[in-house]
Amino acid sequence: MPRCKASENAFYLLRYAEGNPGSNALVKVGVSGTGAGLTATRTTVWTGQSPGTVAAGMRPQDGYIYGVRALSADTSDAPLTWQQDYRAFQVVRYGDAGAQNLGVIDASAFATTGNPAHSIFDPSPNPNFNAADIDPVTGYLVVGMLRVGAYGRSGGTVQQMQTLLHIDVTTTPPKLVKVTNLSAPILLNSSGDFAIDATGTYAYGISYRSPVRSGFSITTPAASYYWRADLNSGAVTQTVASLPVSNNVSDLLTSPKAGDQPYGGAAQLADGTFAFFANQTPAGVAFGSFTEGRLLNVDASGTVLGYAAIAPGSNSADATRCLTEQIDPVPSVGFWGLVLMSLGLGGFAWRRQRSRG
């Protein structure tokens, strides 16, 4: 994969396309500027990698992207009852050579629950994962459990995330090793993602509440919430994100604002800030067009640094940190090491000159 310089603000964007199996295109996105001057440069890395994912993270320990396989409209290699079957959840590893299915996640260390008994991956019908990142310290793939509910874009049942699953991707098969229960549910009405900071302490994300419409009027505007979750204790803090929203349906459909859509991709940038990508505009949801997305830059305190349109959009999307270039340091030999080296080189030159005389 194309690497980023240590000081380069860039991230990987995975654009998901529905299919059987679904597939991903990977784009490297460079971020520069602030405020209204925020811009993005895009370089396509690959297209059509299958199976696809919308819950992934780049593992700096080996440079691969790991994700939980997306199953929307995808029954290939999955049980016919995948809607209620945790066994369908597999880890996929992505690299230059393609996608490798690492197998079904092993959750045997955690007790089954319910009647009939089922895995932690299946607390209710239609379990789903669309938020994930790699903990850069442990190397674990951390995925958010999306609790089931209707996708209520017009006031229906709200989906929430209150559990983080830590998966060791170095074992065969990948193994669930830790569960973090969050102190408060994260609102994920339509979509969401989070990014883990460089210290492996917190996950940061933006949750979303869809607007409620009545005819051509918006009775309840959209709302976004900036949140942070402690990966060890599960403590959650949430604040209202200061993003502009549309006050009428016409603006919502024709010229949506930064707060009118869910952000389905999140990644930490080199400068410590975060990039969030809205995978689709409300107009795209309403009319099936995904020609435009939205890029948002936020710092760790939740302060918005800038936002801009970014094209194209996609059916769904995910994002993760860029693989940083590794520069091998010059070994330090110290003063006496330099003396010995100079003597050794001098002796070699003297011997060589003498042999030629």
Side-chain angles (χ1 to χ4, degrees), residues 35-263:
L38 187 73
T39 59
T41 58
R42 298 172 296 281
T43 304
T44 299
V45 182
W46 70 58
T47 59
Q49 291 280 23
S50 294
T53 180
V54 291
M58 193 282 294
R59 190 169 185 268
Q61 287 85 348
D62 57 21
Y64 287 98
I65 292 176
Y66 294 82
V68 175
R69 177 176 181 167
L71 292 174
S72 178
D74 179 358
T75 58
S76 177
D77 296 330
L80 294 178
T81 56
W82 61 266
Q83 293 92 339
Q84 287 82 32
D85 198 330
Y86 75 92
R87 291 176 299 172
F89 295 113
Q90 306 153 353
V91 172
V92 180
R93 182 174 70 182
Y94 300 89
D96 278 344
Q100 179 184 5
N101 194 325
L102 301 184
V104 174
I105 300 167
D106 177 9
S108 60
F110 295 80
T112 56
T113 59
N115 184 23
H118 54 255
S119 162
I120 189 173
F121 283 96
D122 189 15
S124 53
N126 296 322
N128 196 10
F129 303 96
N130 60 10
D133 199 9
I134 291 284
D135 181 334
V137 176
T138 65
Y140 294 154
L141 173 63
V142 182
V143 298
M145 171 74 77
L146 183 64
R147 300 305 292 266
V148 175
Y151 280 96
R153 294 195 61 82
S154 296
T157 303
V158 172
Q159 297 194 92
Q160 297 177 334
M161 178 183 72
Q162 199 165 2
T163 306
L164 299 180
L165 307 177
H166 304 244
I167 301 167
D168 185 351
V169 296
T170 66
T171 64
T172 304
K175 188 171 185 177
L176 178 65
V177 295
K178 179 182 175 181
V179 175
T180 299
N181 293 312
L182 303 183
S183 63
I186 305 298
L187 176 70
L188 293 176
N189 194 308
S190 294
S191 185
D193 191 26
F194 57 78
I196 298 175
D197 64 15
T199 67
T201 305
Y202 297 107
Y204 293 83
I206 296 179
S207 62
Y208 174 75
R209 185 196 68 203
S210 300
V212 178
R213 292 174 282 184
S214 177
F216 290 98
S217 300
I218 296 179
T219 57
T220 304
S224 298
Y225 304 88
Y226 184 72
W227 61 269
R228 186 186 77 177
D230 188 301
L231 293 182
N232 290 315
S233 69
V236 172
T237 58
Q238 299 187 70
T239 58
V240 177
S242 299
L243 296 174
V245 296
S246 296
N247 295 315
N248 58 73
V249 173
S250 176
D251 287 346
L252 181 68
L253 297 179
T254 59
S255 56
K257 297 179 174 60
D260 286 334
Q261 55 252 305
Y263 287 85

